[in-house]
Amino acid sequence: MKATVISQHDCRARDLDDPLAPLRLRFDLPAGVIYLDGNSLGARPKAALERACQVITAEWGKDLIRSWNTAGWFDLPKRLGNRLAPLLGAQAGEVVITDTTSVNLFKALAAALQMQASDPARAARRIIVSERSNFPTDLYMAQGLSAWLDRGYQLRLVDSPDELAQAIDADCAVAMLTHVNYRTGYQHDMAAVSSHCHAQGALALWDLAHSAGAVPLDLNGAGADLAVGCTYKYLNGGPGSPAFIWVPEKHQARFRQPLSGWWGHAAPFAMDPGFAPADGIARALCGTQPVISLALVECGLDIFAQTSMEAIRRKSLALTDLFIALVEQRCASHPLGLVTPREHARRGSQVSFTHPHGYAVMQALIARGVIGDYREPAIMRFGFTPLYTSFADVWDAVEILRDILDTLAYDIAAKRDAVT
């Protein structure tokens, strides 16, 4: 059956009927730019500038150290964690926003291995299962922790999601997986994988860097054991904004992490030389918090409070469906390969295409105002943030891509920047 031809008018009409369209006005988007890289760094909420000025000029500038109490700085990690929790399918008191994703992953993986080691029936397990295509820092942290512990832990990598069931066996202590793959946008069935882990006596640790704020999550309902993620992508917290860690209530009493800093102490200002972990989620904290960047996270969360993850997901799928269809209709004569799943249940909020000169093509797109990014090997990534991406953006982006490909308006010798 012949595919329906999509027009620019169709895209503009969809914007007129989009209930999320007004939220675009909450972001400061540069003129002449189509921003399709929110899966790497979210756009700036307009409120962030005012909030930063407030923290710097009033809370820090005038109230100085008193703001730890008077402005609520001390409670920010837990208070913002409670605001984030509903987007993750978590309960109040199960999330803190703190540190980086890598550091939080180190804490969570160490805690998971410790929980398994303290169980006589599982103490001999020495396998950590992950995917070879996982985001490299996750693998690096697992490698580093395993070497540091020097207890024979090994990282078992699979090359396909289909191999996970066999790899997660009676020798597996922890499955450490990213819910939505950073290259391809492939989305795991969290509930099914977590259930399989538990049937084998393993724990399920999830990285939500490309999920939080992009797809509906139900950590408790899916039976996950631990999770981490960042706030600077779809949550729009700002470059390098603090990450988060989720420890469900069922595991908090057993949660022990090696970075036992004073913010995770039961009584940090008692100044006791011996460490005693705080009750609850606070034991996942480590050191003094970066207040300015932490405060800006709330500006992104304020916007999420104006809608629902279900509405965001509906638009996300509509945007990505449209992008795939337009690229395949209007760029069909070019060597583009779709690597993102077509199936909705297996797709996050990005679309990735390969091209033999992917880096050069992406640089040409950026020069024309269409900002995506590039990942090896030969993958052009396009992220769709329903809070501020329009259907007209999708049409215009594909038209610029088509023109670049048709006219060969890209430099195959384009110099690689430090960040691609």
Side-chain angles (χ1 to χ4, degrees):
M1 186 170 61
K2 188 176 180 180
T4 303
V5 175
I6 305 165
S7 70
Q8 184 180 36
H9 178 269
D10 295 331
C11 297
R12 289 178 174 171
R14 295 181 75 170
D15 284 329
L16 293 176
D17 290 334
D18 175 20
L20 298 186
L23 296 180
R24 180 182 175 98
L25 299 176
R26 302 285 298 272
F27 292 89
D28 192 9
L29 298 167
V33 168
I34 299 171
Y35 192 61
L36 301 181
D37 208 10
N39 57 318
S40 193
L41 174 65
R44 178 174 71 83
K46 289 180 177 177
L49 181 59
E50 182 180 353
R51 179 67 180 123
C53 290
Q54 179 186 26
V55 173
I56 293 170
T57 61
E59 295 176 9
W60 177 21
K62 295 180 180 178
D63 291 342
L64 297 165
I65 198 169
R66 293 171 293 181
S67 286
W68 286 108
N69 294 315
T70 59
W73 288 357
F74 188 77
D75 293 325
L76 266 179
K78 290 187 286 186
R79 185 173 69 79
L80 295 181
N82 286 341
R83 291 205 63 187
L84 174 60
L87 302 183
L88 308 179
Q91 298 176 9
E94 292 186 334
V95 182
V96 284
I97 297 181
T98 185
D99 297 322
T100 67
T101 307
S102 297
V103 170
N104 286 337
L105 185 72
F106 184 91
K107 299 175 194 173
L109 181 57
L113 294 176
Q114 175 60 30
M115 283 191 277
Q116 293 290 65
S118 64
D119 184 340
R122 304 176 182 181
R125 294 170 180 251
R126 289 295 182 269
I127 299 298
I128 302 166
V129 170
S130 193
E131 295 177 279
R132 198 176 310 277
S133 65
N134 201 351
F135 192 72
T137 195
D138 293 33
L139 304 182
Y140 302 159
M141 298 307 287
Q143 292 164 9
L145 177 60
S146 298
W148 185 263
L149 291 173
D150 194 23
R151 297 179 186 172
Y153 287 107
Q154 297 180 18
L155 187 59
R156 178 185 293 169
L157 301 178
V158 301
D159 293 305
S160 165
D162 296 335
E163 299 173 11
L164 281 174
Q166 183 176 355
I168 301 169
D169 58 16
D171 295 322
C172 176
V174 181
M176 180 192 69
L177 301 168
T178 296
H179 184 227
V180 173
N181 186 276
Y182 80 102
R183 279 196 186 103
T184 67
Y186 176 90
Q187 179 176 277
H188 285 287
D189 184 333
M190 182 185 291
V193 174
S194 298
S195 177
H196 178 73
C197 288
H198 298 159
Q200 300 300 314
L203 295 176
L205 166 57
W206 293 95
D207 182 337
L208 308 178
H210 289 268
S211 305
V215 300
L217 292 164
D218 186 7
L219 288 171
N220 279 306
D225 292 296
L226 296 162
V228 301
C230 66
T231 65
Y232 54 77
K233 300 183 190 296
Y234 294 102
L235 294 173
N236 308 300
S241 58
F244 63 85
I245 181 169
W246 170 75
V247 183
E249 185 178 4
K250 65 184 179 183
H251 287 322
Q252 287 180 1
R254 299 176 59 208
F255 182 87
R256 296 287 188 278
Q257 55 103 348
L259 303 180
S260 47
W262 73 310
W263 276 61
H265 195 284
F269 284 90
M271 302 299 176
D272 193 310
F275 183 76
D279 290 332
I281 190 62
R283 62 180 52 197
L285 296 171
C286 180
T288 306
Q289 304 300 307
V291 171
I292 298 172
S293 58
L294 190 60
L296 299 190
V297 173
E298 192 157 24
C299 299
L301 295 178
D302 285 342
I303 300 174
F304 278 90
Q306 306 303 309
T307 184
S308 69
M309 286 308 304
E310 290 70 29
I312 287 171
R313 179 60 169 168
R314 282 193 297 271
K315 185 177 176 184
S316 165
L317 291 172
L319 288 167
T320 49
D321 279 343
L322 176 64
F323 185 75
I324 293 169
L326 284 174
V327 169
E328 292 182 340
Q329 284 181 14
R330 306 187 70 78
C331 306
S333 63
H334 298 284
L336 294 165
L338 177 67
V339 297
T340 300
R342 296 179 189 274
E343 182 184 354
H344 285 180
R346 291 290 172 266
R347 186 197 309 163
S349 199
Q350 72 183 62
V351 177
S352 297
F353 280 96
T354 57
H355 186 278
H357 303 299
Y359 181 79
V361 174
M362 181 55 70
Q363 294 309 299
L365 280 166
I366 293 171
R368 295 274 296 273
V370 179
I371 300 180
D373 65 17
Y374 173 85
R375 293 293 180 266
E376 296 289 358
I379 291 177
M380 298 185 294
R381 296 195 314 173
F382 302 90
F384 296 86
T385 306
L387 296 176
Y388 54 76
T389 305
S390 71
F391 293 96
D393 284 341
V394 176
W395 172 272
D396 292 341
V398 175
E399 278 301 282
I400 293 171
L401 173 63
R402 180 196 57 76
D403 183 66
I404 289 170
L405 295 176
D406 284 352
T407 61
L408 299 179
Y410 54 87
D411 178 7
I412 60 174
K415 181 178 180 295
R416 296 293 179 100
D417 290 327
V419 178
T420 63

